[in-house]
Amino acid sequence: MLPTERIRWVDTARGLSMLAILLFHTEKYYAGEEIIPYAYYVCNALIVFFFVSGYLIIPPKKPFSLPRKLKSIVRGIVIPYFVFTAVIALPKALVHDDTTIQETFLRILTGHASWFIAALIVGELLFSFLYHVTHGRLIPLMTVCLLPYPIIAVLYHYFNLETLWSINIWCWQNAFMMLIFIFLGHLYHRKEQQLSFIHQPYTIIIAGILLLLLKFLESKSNYLFTLQPIHVSSFLILMIDGLLGILFIVGICRHLPDIKPIQWTGAHSLVYYFICGGVPFIVCTLLGKVGYPYDGRYYLVIIAFLLVYVLSTIITWLIYHYILNFYFKRIK
């Protein structure tokens, strides 16, 4: 749902993260592979969404109400998930010849049609229950949000990926892994004044340098950080990487001037995410058919990315203007 009062840095962070995801999918469909490694930026972009979700999960100036929060999650994320994934189910089944409509709808029901949205739903639901049980006390809340990390680490050490994928209904494993970042976002909201050092230039510079050094070490050590399917060489390194990325991105976004297109993208990122695979596929396929396939020149990827962004923005505006604005008004 789009509140009337926006938090500018939140929209900027979401917008930049959404651009990173669109770039990744553009590379995959245009070049047939990722050119800039996934672990260099995609993980951090996705983690930012979970952090921001935690920042916004408890409404300001209102007492927490579990029933009200559950209703908000269902109306704001769960229903759009089912509607959007159902609408694009037929085109997906037609594009992927090896996927039947029945298989596609099974993926929808099990939360695999959009793993990120499914993990976000489960993460927010789980955090809301934990907040209710712990009465919002930070130490118990932090403790239970940290517990899933060793659990997931043990699971992925002793079981193969195929087995784990088969039991990853509604991407609960991804949600467990991201729960600590939802907590960090909530913690930042609760202690924003005390944590104001995060916005200071020296913090941003230090976090940026450490993040670059860590990325360099990760590449030299061949660490793997894939969030879907989960394929993580070190969950501890992933947590440190995610934290440094949050410090750097949040700090930068707090200092950036208003960039309306990026903020608009961030405010409407839910729809962008639903179409972030289909639009790049269409644009990149058409570029190849009209005589502009990727031939190793990266500037062609930039052109394709700009076309993807423009088309995604037009589609998102149409959906919000003619469908979602009416829906959100009805559920208020």
Coordinates of all heavy atoms in Angstrom, one line a residue, residues 7-17 19 199 201 204 248-260 262-263:
I7 N 8.8 8.1 2.9 CA 10.2 8.3 3.5 C 11.2 8.3 2.4 O 11.4 7.3 1.7 CB 10.5 7.2 4.6 CG1 9.4 7.2 5.6 CG2 11.8 7.4 5.2 CD1 9.5 6.1 6.6
R8 N 11.8 9.4 2.1 CA 12.5 9.6 0.8 C 13.7 8.6 0.7 O 13.9 8.0 -0.3 CB 13.0 11.0 0.7 CG 11.8 12.0 0.5 CD 12.3 13.4 0.3 NE 13.0 13.9 1.6 CZ 13.6 15.0 1.7 NH1 13.7 15.9 0.7 NH2 14.2 15.4 2.9
W9 N 14.5 8.5 1.8 CA 15.6 7.6 1.7 C 15.2 6.1 1.5 O 15.9 5.4 0.8 CB 16.5 7.8 2.9 CG 16.1 7.1 4.2 CD1 15.4 7.7 5.2 CD2 16.2 5.7 4.5 NE1 15.2 6.8 6.2 CE2 15.6 5.6 5.8 CE3 16.8 4.6 3.9 CZ2 15.6 4.3 6.5 CZ3 16.8 3.4 4.6 CH2 16.2 3.2 5.8
V10 N 14.1 5.8 2.1 CA 13.6 4.4 1.9 C 13.2 4.2 0.4 O 13.6 3.1 -0.2 CB 12.3 4.2 2.8 CG1 11.6 2.9 2.4 CG2 12.7 4.1 4.3
D11 N 12.5 5.1 -0.2 CA 12.2 5.0 -1.6 C 13.4 5.0 -2.5 O 13.5 4.2 -3.5 CB 11.2 6.1 -2.0 CG 9.8 5.9 -1.5 OD1 9.5 4.8 -1.1 OD2 9.1 6.9 -1.4
T12 N 14.4 5.8 -2.1 CA 15.6 5.8 -2.9 C 16.4 4.5 -2.8 O 16.9 3.9 -3.8 CB 16.6 6.9 -2.4 OG1 15.9 8.2 -2.5 CG2 17.9 7.0 -3.2
A13 N 16.5 3.9 -1.6 CA 17.1 2.6 -1.4 C 16.4 1.5 -2.2 O 17.0 0.7 -2.8 CB 17.2 2.3 0.1
R14 N 15.1 1.5 -2.1 CA 14.3 0.5 -2.8 C 14.5 0.7 -4.3 O 14.6 -0.3 -5.1 CB 12.8 0.6 -2.5 CG 12.4 0.0 -1.2 CD 11.0 0.3 -0.9 NE 10.4 -0.6 0.1 CZ 9.2 -0.4 0.7 NH1 8.5 0.6 0.3 NH2 8.8 -1.3 1.6
G15 N 14.5 2.0 -4.8 CA 14.6 2.3 -6.2 C 15.9 1.8 -6.7 O 16.0 1.2 -7.8
L16 N 17.0 2.1 -6.0 CA 18.4 1.7 -6.5 C 18.5 0.2 -6.5 O 19.1 -0.4 -7.4 CB 19.4 2.4 -5.6 CG 19.6 3.9 -5.7 CD1 20.6 4.4 -4.7 CD2 20.1 4.3 -7.2
S17 N 17.9 -0.4 -5.5 CA 18.0 -1.9 -5.4 C 17.2 -2.5 -6.5 O 17.6 -3.5 -7.1 CB 17.5 -2.4 -4.1 OG 18.2 -1.9 -3.0
L19 N 16.7 -1.2 -9.5 CA 17.5 -1.0 -10.7 C 18.6 -2.1 -10.8 O 18.9 -2.6 -11.9 CB 18.1 0.4 -10.7 CG 17.2 1.6 -10.9 CD1 18.0 2.9 -10.8 CD2 16.4 1.5 -12.2
H199 N 24.7 7.7 9.4 CA 24.6 8.6 8.3 C 25.8 9.5 8.1 O 25.9 10.2 7.1 CB 23.4 9.6 8.6 CG 22.2 8.9 9.2 ND1 21.4 9.6 10.1 CD2 21.7 7.7 9.0 CE1 20.4 8.7 10.4 NE2 20.6 7.6 9.8
P201 N 29.5 10.8 7.1 CA 30.4 10.4 5.9 C 31.5 9.4 6.3 O 31.8 8.6 5.4 CB 31.0 11.8 5.5 CG 29.9 12.8 6.0 CD 29.4 12.2 7.2
I204 N 30.1 5.9 6.2 CA 29.8 5.5 4.8 C 31.1 5.1 4.1 O 31.2 4.0 3.4 CB 29.1 6.6 4.0 CG1 27.8 7.0 4.7 CG2 28.9 6.2 2.5 CD1 27.1 8.2 4.1
F248 N 26.4 1.0 4.0 CA 26.9 1.8 2.9 C 25.7 2.4 2.1 O 25.6 3.6 1.8 CB 27.7 1.0 1.9 CG 28.2 1.7 0.8 CD1 29.2 2.7 0.9 CD2 27.8 1.4 -0.5 CE1 29.7 3.4 -0.2 CE2 28.2 2.1 -1.6 CZ 29.2 3.1 -1.5
I249 N 24.7 1.5 1.8 CA 23.6 1.9 0.9 C 22.7 2.9 1.7 O 22.2 3.9 1.1 CB 22.8 0.7 0.4 CG1 23.7 -0.1 -0.5 CG2 21.5 1.1 -0.3 CD1 23.1 -1.5 -0.8
V250 N 22.3 2.6 2.9 CA 21.5 3.4 3.7 C 22.1 4.8 3.9 O 21.5 5.9 3.8 CB 21.1 2.8 5.1 CG1 20.4 3.8 6.0 CG2 20.2 1.6 4.9
G251 N 23.4 4.8 4.2 CA 24.2 6.0 4.4 C 24.2 6.9 3.2 O 23.9 8.1 3.2
I252 N 24.4 6.3 2.0 CA 24.4 7.0 0.7 C 23.0 7.6 0.5 O 22.9 8.7 0.1 CB 24.9 6.1 -0.4 CG1 26.3 5.7 -0.3 CG2 24.5 6.7 -1.8 CD1 27.3 6.9 -0.7
C253 N 22.0 6.7 0.7 CA 20.6 7.2 0.3 C 20.2 8.3 1.2 O 19.3 9.1 0.8 CB 19.7 6.0 0.4 SG 20.0 4.8 -0.9
R254 N 20.7 8.4 2.5 CA 20.3 9.4 3.4 C 20.9 10.8 2.9 O 20.4 11.8 3.3 CB 20.8 9.1 4.8 CG 20.3 7.9 5.4 CD 18.9 7.9 6.0 NE 18.5 9.0 6.8 CZ 17.7 8.9 7.9 NH1 17.3 7.7 8.3 NH2 17.3 10.0 8.5
H255 N 21.9 10.7 2.1 CA 22.6 12.0 1.7 C 22.3 12.4 0.2 O 22.5 13.5 -0.1 CB 24.1 11.8 1.8 CG 24.6 11.9 3.2 ND1 24.8 13.1 3.9 CD2 24.9 10.9 4.1 CE1 25.2 12.9 5.1 NE2 25.3 11.6 5.3
L256 N 21.7 11.4 -0.5 CA 21.4 11.8 -1.9 C 20.3 12.8 -2.0 O 19.4 12.7 -1.2 CB 21.0 10.5 -2.7 CG 22.1 9.5 -3.1 CD1 21.5 8.3 -3.7 CD2 23.1 10.2 -4.1
P257 N 20.4 13.7 -3.0 CA 19.2 14.6 -3.2 C 18.0 13.8 -3.8 O 18.2 12.6 -4.1 CB 19.8 15.6 -4.2 CG 20.8 14.8 -5.0 CD 21.4 13.9 -4.0
D258 N 16.9 14.5 -3.8 CA 15.7 13.8 -4.4 C 15.9 13.5 -5.8 O 16.3 14.4 -6.6 CB 14.5 14.7 -4.2 CG 14.0 14.8 -2.8 OD1 14.5 14.1 -2.0 OD2 13.1 15.6 -2.5
I259 N 15.8 12.2 -6.2 CA 15.9 11.8 -7.6 C 14.5 11.1 -7.9 O 14.3 10.0 -7.6 CB 17.0 10.8 -7.8 CG1 18.3 11.4 -7.3 CG2 17.1 10.5 -9.3 CD1 19.5 10.4 -7.3
K260 N 13.6 11.9 -8.4 CA 12.2 11.5 -8.5 C 12.0 10.2 -9.2 O 11.2 9.4 -8.7 CB 11.4 12.6 -9.2 CG 11.3 13.9 -8.4 CD 10.7 13.7 -7.0 CE 10.6 15.1 -6.2 NZ 10.1 14.9 -4.9
I262 N 13.9 7.6 -9.5 CA 14.4 6.5 -8.6 C 13.4 6.3 -7.4 O 13.1 5.2 -7.0 CB 15.8 6.7 -8.2 CG1 16.8 6.6 -9.4 CG2 16.2 5.7 -7.1 CD1 18.2 6.8 -9.0
Q263 N 13.0 7.4 -6.8 CA 12.1 7.3 -5.7 C 10.7 6.8 -6.1 O 10.1 6.0 -5.4 CB 11.9 8.7 -5.1 CG 13.2 9.2 -4.3 CD 13.1 10.6 -3.8 OE1 12.2 11.4 -4.3 NE2 13.9 11.0 -2.9

